[in-house]
Amino acid sequence: MEKGIPYLNTYDGQTIRYPDPLIKANDTIKLDLESNKITEFIKFDVGNIVMVTGGRNRGPAEVIKNREKHKGSFEMIHIQDATGHEFATRLGNVFTIGKGTRPWISLPKGKGIKLSIVKEAKKRIAAQVASTA
């Protein structure tokens, strides 16, 4: 806080003064660009959908299953994707994109499920065979 004025900083570098006091670190806000006011926000809680922005499992949209706090180390988030695959990553590698399992943004092809290279190649070949038949 600068001079006792509450504010928050966004990922794109904006500073918003006098935000809702319920908004905490790692929450996601929906900002009206014309009025520069916060219209909605999503708490960073278990059960919300997130996009993984770093680490080995980058890309797909998943649901937060658990949150572990380790003193003196990184905070870990346990995540499960739509296929049931579970993994853990650092807090800094995830970004909340929706409440529950309903995203606020449009997801890439495959609803954000990341396929292995082999599965993706099989899917592509099957699509080619179906289009030529």
Side-chain angles (χ1 to χ4, degrees), residues 53-111:
T53 59
R56 219 176 79 195
N57 294 295
R58 177 181 343 181
E62 292 104 359
V63 177
I64 300 173
K65 286 293 178 193
N66 189 15
R67 186 174 176 177
E68 289 180 5
K69 295 183 180 181
H70 299 278
K71 289 190 175 190
S73 185
F74 296 103
E75 191 168 334
M76 300 301 289
I77 307 298
H78 293 266
I79 298 171
Q80 182 179 23
D81 67 8
T83 61
H85 173 73
E86 290 192 29
F87 63 93
T89 189
R90 292 179 180 175
L91 174 68
N93 291 341
V94 295
F95 186 82
T96 310
I97 60 169
K99 284 184 180 176
T101 56
R102 189 144 186 242
W104 275 3
I105 61 170
S106 58
L107 295 174
K109 65 177 182 173
K111 301 284 185 203

